[in-house]
Amino acid sequence: MMVDYEGNLWFTSSRQGVLKLVECRFTDINKVANLDSMVANTTCKFEDDLYVGTDEGLYIIDKNYKSKTNELTKRLGGIRIRSIKKDSKNNIWLCTYSDDGLIKYDGKNIETFNTENGLMSNRVRTITELSDGRMAVSVSGGVHIIDNDKVVDAYNEEDGINNTEILTICEGKNGELYLGSDGDGIYVVAGEKVSRIGLSDGLKSGAVLRIKYDKYNDVFWIITSNSISYMKDNEIGTVSNFPYSNNFDMIFKEDGTAWILSSNGIYVVNTADLMTDDNLEYTFYNSRTGLPYVTTANSRNYLDDDGTLYISCSAGVCSVNINDNDNISNEIKLAIPMIEIDGEQVYVGEDSSVTIPANTKRLKIYGYALTYSIKNPSISTLLEGFDDEPFVSAQNDMEPQTYTNLKAGTYTYHFAIINPLTGEEQKSIELKIVKEAAFYETIWFYIFMAAIAAIVIALGVKLYIGHKTKIYEKKQQENKELVNEIVAVLAKCIDMKDKYTNGHSFRVAKYTKLFASKMGYSDDELEDIYNIALLHDVGKISIPDHILGKQGKLTDDEYAIIKSHAPNGYEILKDIKIMPSLSLGAGFHHERIDGKGYPKGLKGDEIPPIARIIAVADTFDAMYSSRPYRKKMKLEDVIAEINRVKGTQLSEEVVAVVNKLYEDGEFDKLNEIDSSI
């Protein structure tokens, strides 16, 4: 056994090899308490015990991480528990999907609230204590107010709450209630008046998972199904610089930072930076940095008085103290052991200085943050005298820095660990690099060449450039027209091949160009995109007619042949050098975001952007066009179906564009234009 310079423990065994034991910020409570895997929906501390609500009942874990039972665990065995909340009188309230509905527990007595004593439903989602001591409860059907253990008020469809599935409740500063709904935005209840905050007011989604007041910044944060927004002085703003969209909860600290729990991991950010359009710096925790599980969607998570956060996860419960400093730089060693000059490695001397020849074309610098822990520090590199600003990257993503054709002179390579939230350096080293000067880099050479160049340019550049420009522009236009004509002819052949989808290629190209235009592509890019989309089904040329035109259900072998049109289309187009990207739409428009598509099973950003756009356009036209064997679907049904499969089959970014076009009535305008032609 040994201890390394970071305090990690290493064990060697002739039977089991090498074991490394490292420090981790997170505690895997399930593992420590010897609990089976479970979907945790909510956590709450009560009388030194941790209460965990799951899909299969209640778990109680004491301060020594021992599992225990009481009358509640027995009563709620197999029952789905959505939320547990402790009030100011040291009672806990358990929201269940059961005949017991809402349960109040003071450590001895159990009191239930259900349809028998005033609730609209026994499916209780969440509860919030209001500033006056009353409790606001969300059930299937609306929201109740409980005062002195009696159900006294209800808000539902009769009050103007059209979507009665309320996912979150937050009290405003003036006593109003903000009710986040499952699709209709936020209902605002102020006395007897009910108003609504929706997409037209700045929300990016009608599904509001969480509304939380940040007392440190005096702002309400709103987590929707696809964005993070904020509300201050009744104005909605949306965070445009956050790197991830599928978020569930926010935990705030007095220092102005927030812990954002998502399906991707945990982001720690400065809340002030969230409201700017600058590049957002953050600390990120996932399985590579010790987070044992990912957060359960729309779960409730408990923050203890000492800063310990108990996180409800999809396979258990974990905890982390958010007040502990994550001093990741104290023991990490920094080193720049070598450089590479035109492919040849050169080791750096003890004086941290190196001289490179004047004819050096390519310089590669190897910098290392040497750590055997699971920490992932942020690294900043800057070649002073060349770089305008530092390049920042997580240590796990760090690559050697490459520089080409450096001018003669002296440079300093600055390699540092930084705090991602403040940008402050925590540890750094430097390497001095001297590049020798060639004869053509002297001042007299520059003066001589400048004089010669000025004379030559003055005599001939105007005529030469003008002549060449005209030839180039003419040739470029001819090539572009030829490509457009050939692509259009091929598209007609494709549509004539498949009698059931006549005109499909041109419609998909039209939609693809429309979506791409709204996504900010340039006019030149849109022309290429239109052609790529026109040929997305070129591979159908290789499909036998009796299979392509078959009316009945395809056999497995026939379906496999149909699917071959994607790789076949790629093979047909991949060698067209004048437009190399022409094959991307044909080859990859049947890939899915979740990796379940074909032919390669690509997922997410692995799929070329143009193929992700065509996939949405192809799906849209398949439903929104008439075929000999069925009529086209209604536009609203098409939009609903596309939204249903976003994030799994289709790109959320492209679907968001389709939703915006639908909201602006652009598809209706297209129908008017098409019908008038």
Side-chain angles (χ1 to χ4, degrees), residues 466-573:
H467 178 66
K468 286 295 184 181
T469 299
K470 289 181 180 179
I471 294 175
Y472 174 77
E473 290 177 347
K474 181 179 179 181
K475 183 64 176 177
Q476 187 180 43
Q477 185 61 33
E478 290 174 352
N479 289 341
K480 185 178 294 186
E481 292 173 357
L482 178 62
V483 169
N484 292 342
E485 291 171 358
I486 292 174
V487 168
V489 169
L490 281 174
K492 289 179 180 178
C493 292
I494 297 166
D495 286 353
M496 292 175 66
K497 170 84 171 176
D498 189 348
K499 62 183 179 179
Y500 292 113
T501 59
N502 189 27
H504 171 70
S505 298
F506 289 88
R507 291 193 300 273
V508 169
K510 175 182 67 176
Y511 292 135
T512 303
K513 184 177 180 181
L514 174 62
F515 300 163
S517 174
K518 295 298 182 181
M519 294 171 71
Y521 286 82
S522 67
D523 290 341
D524 289 341
E525 290 173 321
L526 290 176
E527 186 171 352
D528 290 344
I529 286 170
Y530 183 85
N531 286 333
I532 293 170
L534 270 180
L535 297 186
H536 77 281
D537 274 342
V538 69
K540 287 185 176 180
I541 294 174
S542 66
I543 307 301
D545 291 342
H546 73 278
I547 295 178
L548 191 62
K550 183 176 180 180
Q551 296 185 17
K553 183 178 180 181
L554 297 173
T555 66
D556 291 345
D557 290 341
E558 290 170 339
Y559 182 60
I561 293 174
I562 286 289
K563 292 202 298 183
S564 70
H565 82 277
N568 290 347
Y570 179 85
E571 288 298 319
I572 291 171
L573 301 174

Side-chain angles (χ1 to χ4, degrees), residues 38-335:
M38 58 187 179
V39 178
N41 298 315
T42 180
T43 57
C44 185
K45 287 293 292 295
F46 181 64
E47 296 183 346
D48 291 332
D49 294 330
L50 176 65
Y51 282 59
V52 181
T54 76
D55 285 346
E56 300 297 331
L58 176 68
Y59 291 82
I60 302 177
I61 305 166
D62 67 17
K63 61 183 179 181
N64 296 317
Y65 296 104
K66 300 295 183 181
S67 181
K68 59 188 293 187
T69 60
N70 62 13
E71 59 269 42
L72 277 180
T73 59
K74 297 173 184 177
R75 184 163 180 165
L76 295 175
I79 300 299
R80 188 180 189 193
I81 303 171
R82 295 296 292 122
S83 177
I84 306 175
K85 190 68 67 72
K86 183 166 65 173
D87 65 20
S88 58
K89 298 177 182 178
N90 202 36
N91 303 304
I92 59 170
W93 300 74
L94 297 93
C95 303
T96 77
Y97 283 10
S98 72
D99 292 339
D100 283 332
L102 175 65
I103 296 175
K104 177 184 175 183
Y105 182 63
D106 62 4
K108 296 180 180 179
N109 303 305
I110 296 176
E111 185 175 357
T112 62
F113 301 82
N114 51 31
T115 54
E116 295 181 0
N117 54 8
L119 295 189
M120 291 177 284
S121 169
N122 290 334
R123 292 170 60 88
V124 185
R125 185 183 296 275
T126 186
I127 186 168
T128 298
E129 183 176 14
L130 305 181
S131 57
D132 59 7
R134 297 182 302 162
M135 307 300 292
V137 186
S138 164
V139 303
S140 290
V143 171
H144 283 291
I145 301 297
I146 296 177
D147 188 8
N148 290 324
D149 295 339
K150 292 183 179 180
V151 179
V152 296
D153 283 313
Y155 301 97
N156 50 33
E157 290 181 345
E158 296 178 358
D159 302 291
I161 300 177
N162 298 321
N163 187 324
T164 57
E165 291 297 325
I166 302 302
L167 306 181
T168 182
I169 303 173
C170 181
E171 184 179 15
K173 292 190 291 184
N174 297 316
E176 67 273 27
L177 294 182
Y178 295 112
L179 311 180
S181 72
D182 190 15
D184 203 27
I186 301 172
Y187 294 105
V188 184
V189 179
E192 300 298 324
K193 182 181 178 182
V194 176
S195 57
R196 191 175 71 87
I197 300 172
L199 300 180
S200 61
D201 301 298
L203 290 181
K204 295 302 180 182
S205 170
V208 180
L209 305 181
R210 193 75 82 250
I211 306 172
K212 301 191 77 170
Y213 178 63
D214 176 6
K215 65 181 180 181
Y216 305 115
N217 294 285
D218 190 26
V219 65
F220 289 90
W221 290 95
I222 303 166
I223 298 179
T224 73
S225 62
N226 62 8
S227 66
I228 297 177
S229 300
Y230 53 91
M231 181 169 60
K232 190 175 181 65
D233 299 328
N234 293 321
E235 294 291 331
I236 299 289
T238 297
V239 177
S240 60
N241 55 353
F242 197 71
Y244 197 66
S245 62
N246 194 23
N247 306 298
F248 304 137
D249 201 359
M250 295 181 70
I251 311 297
F252 308 107
K253 289 182 59 178
E254 189 174 2
D255 64 0
T257 59
W259 287 56
I260 300 179
L261 280 55
S262 75
S263 64
N264 191 40
I266 298 177
Y267 296 84
V268 183
V269 299
N270 283 314
T271 50
D273 294 342
L274 284 177
M275 293 182 280
T276 69
D277 288 328
D278 297 332
N279 290 330
L280 181 68
E281 299 295 340
Y282 54 85
T283 298
F284 179 60
Y285 297 103
N286 60 6
S287 59
R288 296 176 67 181
T289 50
L291 181 64
Y293 316 112
V294 295
T295 309
T296 306
N298 202 22
S299 60
R300 266 68 185 179
N301 307 281
Y302 184 82
L303 182 64
D304 210 340
D305 292 337
D306 67 357
T308 300
L309 176 63
Y310 296 90
I311 306 172
S312 305
C313 300
S314 58
V317 181
C318 66
S319 66
V320 60
N321 192 299
I322 64 175
N323 292 332
D324 289 346
N325 293 323
D326 196 3
N327 295 320
I328 60 177
S329 65
N330 292 344
E331 303 299 336
I332 295 177
K333 293 184 178 181
L334 301 182

Side-chain angles (χ1 to χ4, degrees), residues 356 363 383-387 405-413 431-435:
I356 61 176
L363 172 67
L383 185 61
E384 296 177 3
F386 182 84
D387 291 327
N405 298 319
L406 289 176
K407 295 180 180 179
T410 301
Y411 302 87
T412 300
Y413 185 70
L431 172 65
K432 181 180 178 182
I433 301 172
V434 178
K435 185 179 182 184

